[in-house]
């Protein structure tokens, strides 16, 4: 029994639409009811909202294309100014009228010009007796434009006296988008997140033709069991499914297991998926580089993969962070040994021998005063750096980025004290960018 029924549209198109938008039957049925027949006057505006990757854009594009409804589809992130937005809507409307791919359009500086040019475009014979749909994706960007743009689109049907419906797609609720000056309220429609059952059904449809549906569905079930607690983004899960499927198939290709031997297949891919957990959403390396790493058989944490590995800092901020790390992990009594020139020879005392038995990296970072930080900074940089407001503002920025922690700042006599929060691997990667060998200055590595 077909899920969609509508007297205006052919049954073949509705059946094709049902196969293209799985797990969104209720939302599509609601849209078909709101659209009505082609010649009917539809609602002036619709507001479709839901979290990222809940199918809003895909469902709307598929619905309009399958039913062959005249529409203009504009991404507000790409058309980030009002002029770009209005001219793109007019350009696509001109394409509907003339059939040309890139027709010449007049410039549109104000919304009044847009209303006038839009009414002229709607006079085309091909657009008579049917509703034209204007879809604005990422509609939350309209808040950054002139204050009359959003209310104007919501009243476009009234201003032009034409059969037009404006559809807003957004990740936020209407209360956060509603203008303070008031406007014509759109009809809201909510797209809920996909459940784990919906994701299983949608991702299983992407199975390669050389493998059976059941085999790929079992793989998707394993994948969702690992990633669903931390990632429910359909696009990211689809990317992970394609990226890791070749590893899952290895035992089958090599003849070591059959397609039904789920236990052996899981054992083969378990460690592989745990490594992939480190790169969810980051995309720090390409898919080909990831596959090459797995072919090389690297174990443990992937090289160069860290959420902080690509933090871009100003030049002096890098040296400030290096100085802070040295102050946190080197005892204060060793500063002369590392940073004082022409210090001569020093004899080790018995209490120093006792201290050397304990690693400062195992004990964790220690706090240090601001004066010590600046003294180490002047020692590790070859030229003199004046303690200007620029240096102090960069220290504040490092605290804001949580690379440093400010402690004991209430004591006005001793001044602020700081503690470095970064790991050894992170500070080594920062040191390499400024050609500084930090290992030579760490007391634990002597």
């Amino acid at each position: 029994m077909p899920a969609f029924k509508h007297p205006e549209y052919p049954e073949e198109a509705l059946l094709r639409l049902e196969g293209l938008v799985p797990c969104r039957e209720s939302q599509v049925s609601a849209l078909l009811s709101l659209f009505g027949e082609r010649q009917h006057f539809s609602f002036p505006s619709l507001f479709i909202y839901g979290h990222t990757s809940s199918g809003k854009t895909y469902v709307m594009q598929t619905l309009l294309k399958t039913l062959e409804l005249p529409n203009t589809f504009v991404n507000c992130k790409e058309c980030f100014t009002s002029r770009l937005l209005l001219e793109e809507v007019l350009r696509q409307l001109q394409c509907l009228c003339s059939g040309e791919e890139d027709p010449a359009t007049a410039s549109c500086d104000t919304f009044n010009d847009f209303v006038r040019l839009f009414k002229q475009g709607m006079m085309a014979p091909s657009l008579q007796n049917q509703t034209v749909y204007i879809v604005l994706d990422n509609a939350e960007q309209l808040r950054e434009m002139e204050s009359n743009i959003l209310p104007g689109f919501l009243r476009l049907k009234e201003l032009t006296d034409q059969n037009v419906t404006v559809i807003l797609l957004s990740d936020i609720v209407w209360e956060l988008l509603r203008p303070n000056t008031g406007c014509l309220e759109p009809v809201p429609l909510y797209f809920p997140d996909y459940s784990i059952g919906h994701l299983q059904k949608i991702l299983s449809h992407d199975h390669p033709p050389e493998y059976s549906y059941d085999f790929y569905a079992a793989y998707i079930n394993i994948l969702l069991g690992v990633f669903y607690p931390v990632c429910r983004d359909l696009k990211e899960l689809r990317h992970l499914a394609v990226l890791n499927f070749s590893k899952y198939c290895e035992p089958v290709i090599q003849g070591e297991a059959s397609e039904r031997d789920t236990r052996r297949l899981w054992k083969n891919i378990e460690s592989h998926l745990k490594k992939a957990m480190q790169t969810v959403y980051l995309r720090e390396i390409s898919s080909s580089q990831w596959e090459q790493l797995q072919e090389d058989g690297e174990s443990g944490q992937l090289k160069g993969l860290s959420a902080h590995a690509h933090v871009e800092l100003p030049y002096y901020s890098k040296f400030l962070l290096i100085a802070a790390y040295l102050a946190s992990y080197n005892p204060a009594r060793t500063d002369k040994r590392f940073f004082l020139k022409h210090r001569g020879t020093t004899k080790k005392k018995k209490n120093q021998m006792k201290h050397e038995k304990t690693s400062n990296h195992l004990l964790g970072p220690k706090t240090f005063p601001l004066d010590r930080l600046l003294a180490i900074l002047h020692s590790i940089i070859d030229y003199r750096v004046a303690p200007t407001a620029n240096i102090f503002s960069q220290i504040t920025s490092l605290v804001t980025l949580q690379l440093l922690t400010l402690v004991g700042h209430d004591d006005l006599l001793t001044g602020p004290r700081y503690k470095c929060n970064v790991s050894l691997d992170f500070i080594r990667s920062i040191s390499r960018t400024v050609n500084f060998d930090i290992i030579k200055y760490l007391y634990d590595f002597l």
Side-chain angles (χ1 to χ4, degrees), residues 93-385:
L93 181 66
Q94 190 67 22
C95 291
L96 294 176
C97 302
S98 61
E100 300 177 7
E101 293 185 359
D102 191 15
T105 56
S107 61
C108 182
D109 296 321
T110 65
F111 199 83
N112 288 335
D113 295 337
F114 173 76
V115 171
R116 175 177 54 83
L117 295 171
F118 188 85
K119 290 177 67 175
Q120 294 177 3
M122 288 290 291
M123 295 301 176
S126 59
L127 300 180
Q128 297 299 314
N129 299 324
Q130 57 180 336
T131 306
V132 175
Y133 298 92
I134 299 178
V135 185
L136 303 180
D137 198 5
N138 296 300
E140 61 272 6
Q141 300 297 321
L142 295 175
R143 296 179 297 180
E144 309 298 328
M145 300 182 188
E146 287 82 349
S147 58
N148 66 327
I149 297 298
L150 178 56
F153 271 113
L154 295 176
R155 295 182 54 203
L156 188 61
K157 188 187 194 75
E158 175 187 348
L159 295 174
T160 60
D161 196 23
Q162 300 293 327
N163 191 4
V164 57
T165 296
V166 176
I167 302 175
L168 307 177
L169 307 182
S170 178
D171 296 336
I172 64 176
V173 296
W174 172 245
E175 286 72 18
L176 297 177
L177 187 60
R178 180 190 287 119
N180 296 328
T181 56
C183 62
L184 183 66
E185 296 287 325
V187 178
L189 180 61
Y190 177 60
F191 273 53
D193 291 340
Y194 288 112
S195 65
I196 189 171
H198 291 161
L199 293 172
Q200 171 81 30
K201 181 178 179 181
I202 294 171
L203 294 173
S204 298
H205 280 291
D206 299 336
H207 69 93
E210 60 270 21
Y211 294 99
S212 65
Y213 176 87
D214 294 337
F215 176 68
Y216 195 76
Y219 162 67
I220 294 298
N221 188 37
I222 292 173
L223 187 83
L224 291 176
V226 175
F227 290 102
Y228 185 75
V230 298
C231 175
R232 302 184 182 186
D233 190 316
L234 178 59
K235 296 177 183 177
E236 185 69 19
L237 289 171
R238 181 169 278 153
H239 169 74
L240 291 169
V242 174
L243 198 62
N244 299 293
F245 184 62
S246 58
K247 189 71 175 180
Y248 183 75
C249 297
E250 274 186 2
V252 177
I253 296 174
Q254 297 172 1
E256 299 175 357
S258 63
E259 291 188 0
R260 296 184 178 274
D261 195 352
T262 310
R263 182 178 179 84
R264 184 182 293 272
L265 294 172
W266 161 247
K267 286 287 185 182
N268 179 66
I269 201 176
E270 181 180 7
S271 60
H272 185 81
L273 293 180
K274 288 181 179 179
K275 293 179 184 178
M277 284 280 286
Q278 303 171 15
T279 62
V280 173
Y281 291 116
L282 296 181
R283 307 287 178 90
E284 292 175 332
I285 57 175
S286 65
S287 301
S288 58
Q289 289 173 323
W290 167 260
E291 293 172 356
Q292 185 63 39
L293 284 173
Q294 301 313 311
E295 292 176 2
D296 295 342
E298 294 189 7
S299 59
Q301 188 174 7
L302 296 177
K303 289 183 178 180
L305 291 183
S306 170
H308 299 287
H310 301 290
V311 173
E312 292 294 336
L313 295 173
Y315 182 75
Y316 286 129
S317 292
K318 294 180 180 180
F319 277 104
L320 281 168
L321 193 59
I322 293 170
Y325 190 88
L326 294 174
S328 283
Y329 286 97
N330 283 348
R333 56 185 170 79
T334 63
D335 287 350
K336 290 184 179 180
R337 180 175 186 172
F338 289 112
F339 307 116
L340 184 62
K341 297 180 180 180
H342 310 294
R343 65 182 183 277
T345 58
T346 57
K347 293 183 179 180
K348 292 186 178 180
K349 299 179 182 180
K350 290 184 178 180
N351 59 347
Q352 287 181 325
M353 296 294 292
K354 292 180 181 179
H355 284 296
E356 288 177 356
K357 295 179 181 179
T358 304
S359 172
N360 291 287
H361 281 75
L362 294 179
L363 296 176
K366 303 293 190 302
T367 62
F368 55 87
L370 178 62
D371 293 342
R372 187 180 174 211
L373 173 65
L374 296 177
I376 296 177
L377 174 67
H378 295 154
S379 300
I380 62 178
I381 296 183
D382 295 333
Y383 46 89
R384 179 174 176 79
V385 179

Side-chain angles (χ1 to χ4, degrees), residues 400-445:
T400 305
L401 293 171
Q402 298 182 356
L403 300 176
L404 298 181
T405 299
L406 177 62
V407 293
H409 59 281
D410 294 332
D411 193 344
L412 299 178
L413 294 177
T414 59
R417 298 180 68 86
Y418 299 89
K419 184 170 64 175
C420 189
N421 295 331
V422 301
S423 64
L424 178 61
D425 291 336
F426 178 69
I427 201 65
R428 289 182 68 181
S429 65
I430 292 292
S431 302
R432 282 194 292 268
T433 62
V434 292
N435 297 321
F436 183 83
D437 188 4
I438 193 172
I439 298 298
K440 293 170 57 177
Y441 293 88
L442 286 171
Y443 187 65
D444 286 345
F445 292 91

